[in-house]
Amino acid sequence: MPVQKQSRVGQRLTSAGGDVIPFTSISWTSTALGNATADIPPGTFSGGTQFLRTIAANTYVENCHTFSYANTAVRAAGTYDGRVTYTMTSP
């Protein structure tokens, strides 16, 4: 039975001062030890629920993600918080 993996993000990252960065400014690359290509492809957050891929039953998946900020606008200095939730579902 295949499994679907998706991510769900809030609309923005927020600082304690109320400054915001949209999640659409955050992208990722993926690597997987022992694999020529990563199981989860690289991409950019859409700001909502996002389908990542379908994984065949009884398949081991291991990936490391590196996240990057697009830096297309000047933002206030500070720490910005947000949440990404990864969900795996089985039909």
Side-chain angles (χ1 to χ4, degrees):
M1 170 170 13
V3 174
Q4 293 183 345
K5 185 168 185 176
Q6 63 186 15
S7 68
R8 182 175 178 277
V9 299
Q11 294 300 309
R12 58 190 179 199
L13 298 152
T14 308
S15 73
D19 299 300
V20 299
I21 297 174
F23 257 107
T24 54
S25 296
I26 309 297
S27 60
W28 70 90
T29 58
S30 299
T31 59
L33 294 175
N35 293 347
T37 59
D39 299 300
I40 305 298
T44 301
F45 288 115
S46 65
T49 300
Q50 191 169 351
F51 174 78
L52 297 177
R53 84 164 277 187
T54 297
I55 301 166
N58 299 319
T59 301
Y60 176 77
V61 174
E62 171 275 329
N63 283 193
C64 295
H65 293 179
T66 301
F67 297 92
S68 301
Y69 168 54
N71 203 19
T72 58
V74 177
R75 306 289 181 187
T79 300
Y80 289 78
D81 294 314
R83 179 180 299 229
V84 176
T85 304
Y86 290 93
T87 304
M88 294 185 75
T89 58
S90 179

Coordinates of all heavy atoms in Angstrom, one line a residue:
M1 N 0.9 -1.2 0.0 CA 0.0 0.0 0.0 C 0.9 1.2 0.0 O 1.8 1.4 0.8 CB -0.9 0.0 1.3 CG -1.6 1.2 1.5 SD -2.9 1.1 2.8 CE -2.6 -0.3 3.7
P2 N 0.7 2.2 -1.0 CA 1.6 3.4 -1.0 C 1.3 4.3 0.1 O 0.2 4.3 0.7 CB 1.2 4.0 -2.4 CG -0.1 3.5 -2.7 CD -0.2 2.1 -2.0
V3 N 2.2 5.1 0.4 CA 2.1 6.2 1.5 C 2.4 7.5 0.8 O 3.3 7.6 0.0 CB 3.1 5.9 2.6 CG1 3.1 7.0 3.6 CG2 2.9 4.6 3.3
Q4 N 1.6 8.5 1.2 CA 1.8 9.9 0.7 C 2.4 10.7 1.7 O 2.0 10.7 2.9 CB 0.5 10.5 0.2 CG -0.1 9.8 -1.0 CD -1.3 10.4 -1.6 OE1 -1.9 11.2 -0.9 NE2 -1.7 10.1 -2.8
K5 N 3.4 11.5 1.4 CA 4.0 12.4 2.3 C 3.8 13.8 1.9 O 3.9 14.2 0.7 CB 5.5 12.2 2.4 CG 6.2 13.0 3.4 CD 7.6 12.6 3.7 CE 8.2 13.4 4.8 NZ 9.5 12.9 5.2
Q6 N 3.3 14.7 2.8 CA 3.1 16.1 2.5 C 3.6 17.0 3.6 O 3.8 16.5 4.7 CB 1.6 16.3 2.2 CG 0.7 16.1 3.5 CD -0.8 16.2 3.2 OE1 -1.2 16.1 2.0 NE2 -1.6 16.3 4.2
S7 N 3.7 18.2 3.3 CA 4.1 19.2 4.3 C 3.0 20.3 4.4 O 2.3 20.5 3.5 CB 5.5 19.9 4.0 OG 5.3 20.7 2.8
R8 N 2.9 20.8 5.6 CA 1.9 21.9 5.8 C 2.6 22.9 6.6 O 3.2 22.7 7.6 CB 0.7 21.3 6.6 CG -0.4 22.4 6.9 CD -1.6 21.7 7.6 NE -2.6 22.7 7.8 CZ -2.6 23.5 8.9 NH1 -1.6 23.5 9.8 NH2 -3.5 24.4 9.0
V9 N 2.5 24.2 6.1 CA 3.2 25.3 6.8 C 2.2 26.4 7.1 O 1.2 26.5 6.4 CB 4.4 25.8 5.9 CG1 5.4 24.8 5.7 CG2 3.9 26.4 4.6
G10 N 2.6 27.2 8.0 CA 1.8 28.4 8.3 C 2.0 29.4 7.1 O 2.8 29.1 6.2
Q11 N 1.4 30.5 7.1 CA 1.5 31.5 6.1 C 2.8 32.3 6.2 O 3.3 32.8 5.2 CB 0.3 32.4 6.1 CG -1.0 31.7 5.7 CD -0.9 31.1 4.3 OE1 -0.6 31.7 3.3 NE2 -1.2 29.8 4.3
R12 N 3.4 32.4 7.4 CA 4.6 33.2 7.5 C 5.4 32.9 8.7 O 4.9 32.2 9.7 CB 4.1 34.7 7.6 CG 3.2 34.9 8.7 CD 2.6 36.3 8.6 NE 1.7 36.5 9.7 CZ 0.7 37.3 9.8 NH1 0.6 38.1 8.8 NH2 -0.1 37.4 10.8
L13 N 6.6 33.3 8.7 CA 7.5 33.3 9.9 C 7.3 34.6 10.6 O 7.3 35.6 9.9 CB 9.0 33.1 9.4 CG 9.2 31.8 8.7 CD1 10.4 32.0 7.8 CD2 9.5 30.7 9.7
T14 N 7.3 34.6 11.9 CA 7.0 35.9 12.6 C 8.1 36.1 13.7 O 8.5 35.1 14.4 CB 5.6 35.8 13.3 OG1 4.7 35.4 12.3 CG2 5.3 37.1 13.9
S15 N 8.5 37.3 13.8 CA 9.5 37.7 14.9 C 8.7 38.2 16.1 O 7.5 38.5 16.1 CB 10.4 38.8 14.4 OG 9.8 40.0 14.3
A16 N 9.5 38.3 17.2 CA 8.9 38.8 18.5 C 8.3 40.2 18.3 O 7.4 40.7 18.9 CB 9.9 38.7 19.6
G17 N 9.0 41.0 17.4 CA 8.5 42.4 17.1 C 7.4 42.5 16.1 O 6.9 43.6 15.8
G18 N 6.9 41.3 15.6 CA 5.8 41.3 14.7 C 6.1 41.4 13.3 O 5.3 41.5 12.4
D19 N 7.4 41.4 12.9 CA 7.9 41.4 11.5 C 7.6 40.0 11.0 O 7.7 39.0 11.7 CB 9.3 41.7 11.5 CG 9.6 43.1 12.0 OD1 9.0 44.1 11.5 OD2 10.4 43.3 13.0
V20 N 7.4 39.9 9.7 CA 7.1 38.6 9.0 C 7.9 38.4 7.8 O 8.3 39.3 7.1 CB 5.6 38.5 8.7 CG1 4.7 38.7 9.9 CG2 5.2 39.6 7.6
I21 N 8.1 37.1 7.6 CA 8.7 36.6 6.3 C 7.8 35.5 5.8 O 7.4 34.6 6.5 CB 10.1 35.9 6.6 CG1 11.1 37.0 7.1 CG2 10.6 35.3 5.3 CD1 12.4 36.4 7.5
P22 N 7.3 35.6 4.6 CA 6.4 34.6 4.0 C 7.1 33.3 3.9 O 8.3 33.3 3.5 CB 5.9 35.2 2.7 CG 6.9 36.2 2.3 CD 7.5 36.7 3.6
F23 N 6.4 32.2 4.1 CA 7.1 30.9 3.9 C 7.4 30.6 2.5 O 8.3 29.8 2.2 CB 6.1 29.7 4.4 CG 6.5 29.2 5.8 CD1 5.8 29.5 6.9 CD2 7.6 28.4 5.9 CE1 6.2 29.0 8.1 CE2 8.0 27.9 7.1 CZ 7.3 28.2 8.2
T24 N 6.8 31.3 1.6 CA 7.1 31.1 0.2 C 8.5 31.6 -0.2 O 9.0 31.4 -1.3 CB 6.1 31.9 -0.7 OG1 6.0 33.3 -0.3 CG2 4.7 31.2 -0.6
S25 N 9.2 32.3 0.8 CA 10.6 32.7 0.7 C 11.6 31.6 1.1 O 12.8 31.8 1.1 CB 10.9 34.0 1.5 OG 10.1 35.0 1.0
I26 N 11.1 30.5 1.6 CA 11.9 29.4 2.1 C 11.9 28.2 1.2 O 10.8 27.7 0.8 CB 11.4 29.0 3.5 CG1 11.3 30.2 4.5 CG2 12.4 27.9 4.1 CD1 12.6 30.9 4.7
S27 N 13.1 27.8 0.8 CA 13.2 26.6 -0.1 C 14.1 25.6 0.6 O 14.7 25.8 1.6 CB 13.7 27.0 -1.5 OG 15.0 27.5 -1.3
W28 N 14.2 24.4 0.0 CA 15.0 23.3 0.6 C 15.7 22.5 -0.6 O 15.2 22.5 -1.7 CB 14.2 22.4 1.5 CG 13.3 21.5 0.8 CD1 13.5 20.3 0.3 CD2 11.9 21.8 0.5 NE1 12.4 19.7 -0.3 CE2 11.4 20.7 -0.2 CE3 11.1 22.9 0.7 CZ2 10.1 20.6 -0.7 CZ3 9.8 22.8 0.3 CH2 9.3 21.7 -0.4
T29 N 16.8 21.9 -0.2 CA 17.4 20.9 -1.0 C 17.4 19.6 -0.2 O 17.3 19.7 1.0 CB 18.9 21.3 -1.4 OG1 19.6 21.5 -0.2 CG2 18.9 22.6 -2.3
S30 N 17.6 18.5 -0.9 CA 17.5 17.2 -0.2 C 18.7 16.4 -0.6 O 19.1 16.4 -1.8 CB 16.2 16.5 -0.6 OG 15.1 17.1 -0.2
T31 N 19.2 15.6 0.3 CA 20.2 14.6 0.1 C 19.8 13.3 0.8 O 19.1 13.4 1.8 CB 21.6 15.0 0.6 OG1 21.6 15.3 2.0 CG2 22.1 16.3 -0.2
A32 N 20.3 12.2 0.3 CA 20.0 10.9 0.9 C 21.3 10.1 0.9 O 21.8 9.9 -0.2 CB 18.9 10.2 0.2
L33 N 21.7 9.6 2.0 CA 22.9 8.8 2.1 C 22.7 7.5 1.3 O 21.7 6.8 1.5 CB 23.2 8.5 3.6 CG 23.6 9.7 4.4 CD1 23.8 9.2 5.9 CD2 24.9 10.3 3.9
G34 N 23.7 7.2 0.5 CA 23.6 5.9 -0.3 C 22.7 6.0 -1.5 O 22.7 5.0 -2.2
N35 N 22.1 7.1 -1.8 CA 21.2 7.2 -3.0 C 21.8 8.2 -3.9 O 22.3 9.2 -3.5 CB 19.8 7.6 -2.6 CG 19.1 6.6 -1.8 OD1 19.5 5.4 -1.7 ND2 17.9 6.9 -1.2
A36 N 21.7 8.0 -5.2 CA 22.2 8.9 -6.2 C 21.3 10.2 -6.2 O 21.8 11.3 -6.4 CB 22.1 8.3 -7.6
T37 N 20.0 10.0 -5.9 CA 19.1 11.2 -5.8 C 18.3 11.0 -4.5 O 18.1 9.9 -4.0 CB 18.1 11.3 -7.0 OG1 17.4 10.0 -7.0 CG2 18.8 11.5 -8.3
A38 N 17.8 12.2 -4.0 CA 17.0 12.2 -2.7 C 15.6 11.6 -3.0 O 15.1 11.7 -4.1 CB 17.0 13.6 -2.2
D39 N 15.1 11.0 -2.0 CA 13.7 10.5 -2.1 C 12.7 11.6 -2.1 O 11.6 11.5 -2.8 CB 13.4 9.6 -0.9 CG 14.3 8.4 -0.8 OD1 14.4 7.6 -1.7 OD2 15.1 8.3 0.2
I40 N 12.9 12.7 -1.4 CA 12.0 13.9 -1.4 C 12.7 14.9 -2.3 O 13.8 15.3 -2.0 CB 11.8 14.5 0.0 CG1 11.3 13.4 1.0 CG2 10.9 15.7 0.0 CD1 10.0 12.8 0.7
P41 N 12.1 15.4 -3.3 CA 12.7 16.3 -4.2 C 12.9 17.7 -3.6 O 12.1 18.0 -2.7 CB 11.8 16.3 -5.5 CG 10.5 15.9 -4.9 CD 10.7 15.0 -3.8
P42 N 13.8 18.5 -4.1 CA 13.9 19.9 -3.6 C 12.7 20.7 -4.0 O 12.0 20.3 -4.9 CB 15.2 20.4 -4.3 CG 15.4 19.5 -5.5 CD 14.8 18.2 -5.2
G43 N 12.5 21.8 -3.3 CA 11.3 22.6 -3.6 C 11.3 23.9 -2.8 O 12.2 24.2 -2.1
T44 N 10.2 24.6 -2.9 CA 9.9 25.8 -2.2 C 8.5 25.7 -1.5 O 7.6 25.1 -2.1 CB 9.9 27.0 -3.1 OG1 11.2 27.1 -3.8 CG2 9.6 28.3 -2.4
F45 N 8.4 26.1 -0.2 CA 7.1 26.0 0.4 C 6.1 26.9 -0.2 O 6.4 28.0 -0.7 CB 7.3 26.5 1.9 CG 8.0 25.5 2.7 CD1 9.2 25.8 3.3 CD2 7.5 24.2 3.0 CE1 9.9 24.8 4.1 CE2 8.2 23.3 3.7 CZ 9.4 23.6 4.3
S46 N 4.9 26.4 -0.3 CA 3.8 27.1 -1.0 C 3.0 28.0 0.0 O 2.2 28.8 -0.5 CB 2.9 26.1 -1.7 OG 2.2 25.3 -0.7
G47 N 3.2 27.8 1.3 CA 2.4 28.6 2.2 C 1.1 27.9 2.7 O 0.3 28.5 3.3
G48 N 1.0 26.6 2.3 CA -0.2 25.8 2.7 C 0.2 24.4 2.7 O 1.3 24.0 2.9
T49 N -0.8 23.5 2.5 CA -0.5 22.1 2.4 C 0.1 21.8 1.0 O -0.4 22.2 0.0 CB -1.8 21.2 2.6 OG1 -2.3 21.5 3.9 CG2 -1.5 19.8 2.5
Q50 N 1.1 21.0 1.0 CA 1.9 20.7 -0.2 C 2.2 19.2 -0.3 O 2.8 18.7 0.6 CB 3.2 21.6 -0.1 CG 4.0 21.7 -1.3 CD 5.0 22.8 -1.1 OE1 5.0 23.5 -0.1 NE2 5.9 22.9 -2.0
F51 N 1.9 18.6 -1.4 CA 2.2 17.2 -1.6 C 3.7 17.1 -2.0 O 4.2 17.8 -2.8 CB 1.3 16.6 -2.8 CG 1.7 15.2 -3.2 CD1 1.3 14.2 -2.4 CD2 2.5 15.0 -4.3 CE1 1.7 12.9 -2.7 CE2 2.8 13.7 -4.7 CZ 2.4 12.7 -3.9
L52 N 4.4 16.2 -1.3 CA 5.8 16.0 -1.6 C 6.1 14.8 -2.5 O 6.8 14.8 -3.4 CB 6.6 15.9 -0.3 CG 6.5 17.1 0.6 CD1 7.3 16.8 1.9 CD2 7.1 18.3 -0.2
R53 N 5.5 13.6 -2.2 CA 5.7 12.5 -3.0 C 4.9 11.3 -2.5 O 4.5 11.3 -1.3 CB 7.1 12.1 -3.2 CG 7.7 11.3 -2.1 CD 9.0 10.7 -2.5 NE 8.7 9.5 -3.2 CZ 9.7 8.6 -3.6 NH1 10.9 8.9 -3.3 NH2 9.4 7.5 -4.2
T54 N 4.7 10.3 -3.3 CA 4.1 9.0 -2.9 C 5.3 8.0 -2.7 O 6.2 8.0 -3.5 CB 3.2 8.5 -4.0 OG1 2.1 9.4 -4.1 CG2 2.6 7.1 -3.6
I55 N 5.2 7.2 -1.7 CA 6.3 6.3 -1.3 C 5.7 4.9 -1.3 O 4.6 4.7 -0.7 CB 6.9 6.6 0.0 CG1 7.5 8.0 0.0 CG2 8.0 5.6 0.4 CD1 7.8 8.6 1.4
A56 N 6.3 4.0 -2.0 CA 5.8 2.6 -2.1 C 5.8 1.9 -0.7 O 6.7 2.3 0.1 CB 6.6 1.8 -3.1
A57 N 4.9 1.0 -0.4 CA 4.9 0.3 0.8 C 6.2 -0.4 1.1 O 6.9 -0.8 0.1 CB 3.7 -0.7 0.8
N58 N 6.6 -0.5 2.3 CA 7.8 -1.2 2.7 C 9.1 -0.6 2.1 O 10.0 -1.3 1.8 CB 7.7 -2.7 2.4 CG 6.6 -3.4 3.1 OD1 6.3 -3.1 4.3 ND2 5.9 -4.2 2.4
T59 N 9.1 0.7 2.0 CA 10.2 1.4 1.4 C 10.9 2.2 2.5 O 10.2 3.0 3.2 CB 9.8 2.3 0.2 OG1 9.2 1.5 -0.7 CG2 11.0 3.0 -0.3
Y60 N 12.2 2.1 2.7 CA 12.9 2.9 3.6 C 13.2 4.3 3.0 O 13.8 4.3 1.9 CB 14.2 2.2 4.0 CG 15.1 3.0 4.9 CD1 14.8 3.1 6.3 CD2 16.2 3.7 4.4 CE1 15.6 3.9 7.1 CE2 17.0 4.4 5.3 CZ 16.7 4.5 6.6 OH 17.5 5.3 7.5
V61 N 12.9 5.4 3.7 CA 13.2 6.7 3.2 C 13.9 7.5 4.2 O 13.5 7.6 5.4 CB 11.9 7.4 2.8 CG1 12.1 8.9 2.4 CG2 11.1 6.7 1.7
E62 N 15.1 8.0 3.8 CA 15.9 8.8 4.7 C 16.4 10.0 3.9 O 17.0 9.8 2.8 CB 17.1 8.0 5.2 CG 18.1 8.7 6.0 CD 19.2 9.3 5.1 OE1 19.5 8.8 4.0 OE2 19.7 10.4 5.5
N63 N 16.2 11.2 4.3 CA 16.6 12.4 3.6 C 17.1 13.4 4.6 O 16.6 13.5 5.8 CB 15.5 13.0 2.8 CG 15.2 12.3 1.5 OD1 14.5 12.9 0.7 ND2 15.7 11.1 1.3
C64 N 18.0 14.2 4.2 CA 18.5 15.4 5.0 C 18.1 16.6 4.2 O 18.4 16.7 3.0 CB 20.0 15.4 5.2 SG 20.5 14.0 6.2
H65 N 17.4 17.6 4.8 CA 17.0 18.8 4.1 C 17.8 20.0 4.6 O 18.1 20.1 5.8 CB 15.5 19.1 4.4 CG 14.6 18.1 3.8 ND1 13.2 18.2 3.9 CD2 14.8 17.0 3.0 CE1 12.7 17.2 3.3 NE2 13.6 16.4 2.7
T66 N 18.2 20.8 3.6 CA 18.9 22.1 3.9 C 18.0 23.2 3.5 O 17.6 23.2 2.3 CB 20.3 22.2 3.2 OG1 21.1 21.1 3.6 CG2 21.0 23.5 3.5
F67 N 17.6 24.1 4.4 CA 16.7 25.1 4.1 C 17.4 26.5 3.8 O 18.4 26.7 4.4 CB 15.7 25.3 5.3 CG 14.9 24.1 5.6 CD1 15.4 23.1 6.5 CD2 13.7 23.9 4.9 CE1 14.6 22.0 6.7 CE2 13.0 22.7 5.1 CZ 13.4 21.8 6.0
S68 N 16.8 27.2 2.9 CA 17.4 28.5 2.5 C 16.4 29.6 2.4 O 15.2 29.3 2.1 CB 18.1 28.4 1.1 OG 19.1 27.4 1.1
Y69 N 16.8 30.8 2.7 CA 15.9 32.0 2.6 C 16.2 32.7 1.3 O 17.4 32.9 1.0 CB 16.2 32.9 3.8 CG 15.6 34.3 3.7 CD1 14.2 34.4 3.4 CD2 16.3 35.4 3.9 CE1 13.7 35.7 3.4 CE2 15.8 36.7 3.8 CZ 14.5 36.8 3.5 OH 13.9 38.0 3.5
A70 N 15.2 33.1 0.5 CA 15.4 33.7 -0.8 C 16.0 35.1 -0.7 O 16.7 35.5 -1.7 CB 14.1 33.8 -1.5
N71 N 15.9 35.8 0.4 CA 16.5 37.1 0.6 C 16.2 38.1 -0.5 O 17.0 38.8 -1.0 CB 18.0 36.9 0.8 CG 18.6 38.1 1.5 OD1 18.0 38.8 2.2 ND2 19.9 38.2 1.4
T72 N 14.9 38.2 -0.8 CA 14.5 39.1 -1.9 C 14.0 40.5 -1.3 O 13.7 41.3 -2.1 CB 13.3 38.5 -2.7 OG1 12.3 38.2 -1.8 CG2 13.8 37.2 -3.4
A73 N 14.0 40.6 0.0 CA 13.6 41.9 0.6 C 14.4 42.1 1.9 O 14.8 41.1 2.5 CB 12.1 41.8 0.9
V74 N 14.5 43.4 2.2 CA 15.2 43.7 3.5 C 14.2 43.4 4.6 O 13.1 43.9 4.6 CB 15.6 45.2 3.5 CG1 16.2 45.5 4.9 CG2 16.6 45.4 2.4
R75 N 14.6 42.6 5.6 CA 13.8 42.2 6.8 C 14.5 42.7 8.0 O 15.7 42.9 8.1 CB 13.6 40.7 6.9 CG 13.1 40.1 5.6 CD 11.7 40.4 5.4 NE 11.2 39.7 4.2 CZ 10.0 39.9 3.7 NH1 9.2 40.7 4.2 NH2 9.7 39.2 2.6
A76 N 13.7 43.0 9.0 CA 14.2 43.4 10.3 C 15.1 42.3 10.9 O 14.7 41.1 10.8 CB 13.1 43.8 11.3
A77 N 16.1 42.7 11.6 CA 17.0 41.7 12.3 C 16.2 41.0 13.4 O 15.3 41.7 14.0 CB 18.2 42.3 12.8
G78 N 16.5 39.8 13.7 CA 15.8 39.1 14.8 C 15.6 37.6 14.5 O 16.1 37.1 13.5
T79 N 15.0 37.0 15.4 CA 14.7 35.6 15.3 C 13.2 35.4 14.9 O 12.3 36.0 15.5 CB 14.9 34.9 16.7 OG1 16.2 35.0 17.1 CG2 14.5 33.4 16.6
Y80 N 13.0 34.6 13.8 CA 11.7 34.4 13.3 C 11.3 33.0 13.5 O 12.1 32.1 13.3 CB 11.7 34.7 11.8 CG 11.9 36.2 11.4 CD1 13.1 36.8 11.5 CD2 10.8 36.9 11.1 CE1 13.2 38.1 11.2 CE2 10.9 38.3 10.7 CZ 12.1 38.9 10.8 OH 12.2 40.2 10.5
D81 N 10.1 32.8 14.0 CA 9.6 31.5 14.3 C 8.5 31.1 13.3 O 7.7 31.9 12.9 CB 9.0 31.4 15.7 CG 10.2 31.6 16.7 OD1 11.2 31.0 16.6 OD2 9.9 32.4 17.7
G82 N 8.4 29.8 13.0 CA 7.3 29.2 12.2 C 7.3 27.8 12.3 O 8.2 27.2 13.0
R83 N 6.4 27.1 11.8 CA 6.3 25.6 11.9 C 5.9 25.0 10.6 O 5.1 25.4 9.9 CB 5.2 25.3 12.9 CG 5.0 23.8 13.2 CD 3.9 23.5 14.1 NE 4.3 24.1 15.4 CZ 4.3 23.5 16.6 NH1 3.9 22.3 16.6 NH2 4.6 24.1 17.7
V84 N 6.6 23.9 10.4 CA 6.4 23.0 9.2 C 6.0 21.7 9.8 O 6.7 21.1 10.7 CB 7.6 22.9 8.3 CG1 7.3 21.9 7.2 CG2 8.0 24.2 7.7
T85 N 4.9 21.1 9.4 CA 4.5 19.8 9.9 C 4.5 18.8 8.7 O 3.9 19.1 7.6 CB 3.0 19.8 10.5 OG1 3.0 20.8 11.5 CG2 2.6 18.5 11.0
Y86 N 5.3 17.7 8.8 CA 5.3 16.7 7.8 C 4.3 15.6 8.2 O 4.3 15.1 9.3 CB 6.7 16.1 7.6 CG 7.7 17.1 7.0 CD1 8.4 17.9 7.8 CD2 7.8 17.2 5.6 CE1 9.3 18.8 7.3 CE2 8.7 18.1 5.1 CZ 9.4 18.9 5.9 OH 10.3 19.8 5.4
T87 N 3.5 15.2 7.2 CA 2.5 14.1 7.5 C 2.6 13.0 6.5 O 2.7 13.3 5.3 CB 1.1 14.7 7.4 OG1 1.0 15.9 8.3 CG2 0.0 13.7 7.8
M88 N 2.6 11.8 7.0 CA 2.5 10.7 6.1 C 1.2 10.0 6.2 O 0.7 9.8 7.3 CB 3.6 9.7 6.4 CG 5.0 10.3 6.1 SD 6.3 9.1 6.4 CE 6.1 8.1 4.9
T89 N 0.5 9.8 5.1 CA -0.8 9.1 5.2 C -0.8 7.9 4.3 O -0.1 7.8 3.3 CB -1.9 10.1 4.7 OG1 -1.6 10.5 3.3 CG2 -2.0 11.3 5.6
S90 N -1.7 7.0 4.7 CA -1.8 5.7 3.9 C -3.3 5.6 3.5 O -4.1 5.7 4.4 CB -1.4 4.6 4.8 OG -1.5 3.4 4.1
P91 N -3.6 5.4 2.2 CA -5.0 5.3 1.8 C -5.6 4.0 2.4 O -5.0 3.1 2.8 CB -4.9 5.2 0.3 CG -3.5 5.1 -0.1 CD -2.7 5.3 1.2

